[in-house]
Amino acid sequence: EPEVTQTPSHQVTQMGQEVILRCVPISNHLYFYWYRQILGQKVEFLVSFYNNEISEKSEIFDDQFSVERPDGSNFTLKIRSTKLEDSAMYFCASRSGPPETQYFGPGTRLLVL
Amino acid sequence: AQSVTQLDSHVSVSEGTPVLLRCNYSSSYSPSLFWYVQHPNKGLQLLLKYTSAATLVKGINGFEAEFKKSETSFHLTKPSAHMSDAAEYFCVVSGANAGKSTFGDGTTLTVKP
């Protein structure tokens, strides 16, 4: 069964450093998403991406964040200058189209020191 | 706009007894509704989904949920709890168009031997 994959599974970085989280969505899917889950809290929407542009973003998704689909298969989330409060699990998701199910990747656990 | 309220932050049951995890939703559109389970330090696993077909939805591991439009509810049930069901459960609503998912706060299910 096709699945969403994410790399790396864990990343530790120093405050102020740039990180890039990578996702490979399911191949025929057209809608892509990033969510985050701070430890012990609920999953929060960050951004949705369709037709090579952001379709919606939350207030969390400020200028420090960017997304890109560089090559038709990968979908990346970049955090330009990480803060301590960016420490969280980041989930990528994709779907073929509404109202179909969003399929979530296993997550990348980011720790900012 | 859409929102989800999980009415219980913690539910504790004995092994072999029924499980009820309650979820109410609000959506401007005809919603798609999902239940996901998250085991400690793991990703999100889809239990079941409602996407405007049958109102009683059966999922994996013996779970099922009933969509009740008049009550705006989508409660998750299981006739007999197993120790392996102990986890965090998220009720999720997804709307039309770009269709971001909105997660509830989660319910921690504890299963006592």
Side-chain angles (χ1 to χ4, degrees):
Chain A
E1 184 177 331
E3 57 184 23
V4 177
T5 60
Q6 290 185 242
T7 54
S9 58
H10 293 79
Q11 179 148 5
V12 181
T13 190
Q14 296 291 322
M15 190 170 57
Q17 294 296 304
E18 175 183 287
V19 295
I20 298 176
L21 310 184
R22 290 184 168 79
C23 169
V24 179
I26 294 173
S27 63
N28 63 341
H29 285 186
L30 302 175
Y31 297 80
F32 314 109
Y33 309 84
W34 283 101
Y35 296 82
R36 80 171 185 191
Q37 184 184 32
I38 294 171
L39 188 63
Q41 299 185 22
K42 71 176 181 181
V43 179
E44 301 171 290
F45 168 75
L46 289 178
V47 65
S48 58
F49 191 86
Y50 170 71
N51 200 27
N52 282 320
E53 61 183 22
I54 291 173
S55 41
E56 187 176 358
K57 60 183 180 180
S58 73
E59 60 187 22
I60 303 168
F61 194 88
D62 61 22
D63 292 344
Q64 293 298 314
F65 291 90
S66 62
V67 290
E68 194 176 33
R69 188 157 159 81
D71 56 12
S73 62
N74 290 284
F75 179 52
T76 62
L77 174 69
K78 182 192 291 186
I79 309 175
R80 289 191 184 81
S81 177
T82 50
K83 307 183 188 69
L84 295 176
E85 54 265 37
D86 293 327
S87 295
M89 179 78 96
Y90 288 80
F91 292 104
C92 172
S94 71
R95 67 169 17 158
S96 56
E100 295 307 312
T101 304
Q102 286 188 21
Y103 290 89
F104 286 83
T108 293
R109 186 171 295 282
L110 176 66
L111 178 61
V112 182
L113 301 176
Chain B
Q2 60 191 28
S3 66
V4 175
T5 302
Q6 291 185 241
L7 299 168
D8 308 289
S9 58
H10 292 86
V11 170
S12 181
V13 300
S14 296
E15 190 174 22
T17 65
V19 175
L20 170 64
L21 306 183
R22 299 182 295 165
C23 172
N24 283 64
Y25 71 91
S26 171
S27 176
S28 303
Y29 309 98
S30 294
S32 296
L33 293 158
F34 307 84
W35 277 98
Y36 288 87
V37 61
Q38 185 180 34
H39 289 91
N41 298 311
K42 299 291 186 183
L44 297 162
Q45 181 183 21
L46 179 67
L47 279 178
L48 49 79
K49 62 181 180 180
Y50 166 78
T51 55
S52 78
T55 56
L56 182 62
V57 181
K58 294 187 185 299
I60 63 171
N61 301 335
F63 284 94
E64 61 182 42
E66 186 171 8
F67 173 71
K68 292 186 176 179
K69 187 174 181 179
S70 61
E71 299 176 11
T72 61
S73 69
F74 190 58
H75 301 334
L76 181 71
T77 61
K78 182 173 180 177
S80 176
H82 192 272
M83 295 297 291
S84 61
D85 294 328
E88 188 81 8
Y89 290 79
F90 292 99
C91 182
V92 178
V93 63
S94 184
N97 302 321
K100 72 177 183 183
S101 291
T102 299
F103 282 70
D105 288 341
T107 297
T108 302
L109 176 65
T110 300
V111 182
K112 298 175 291 188

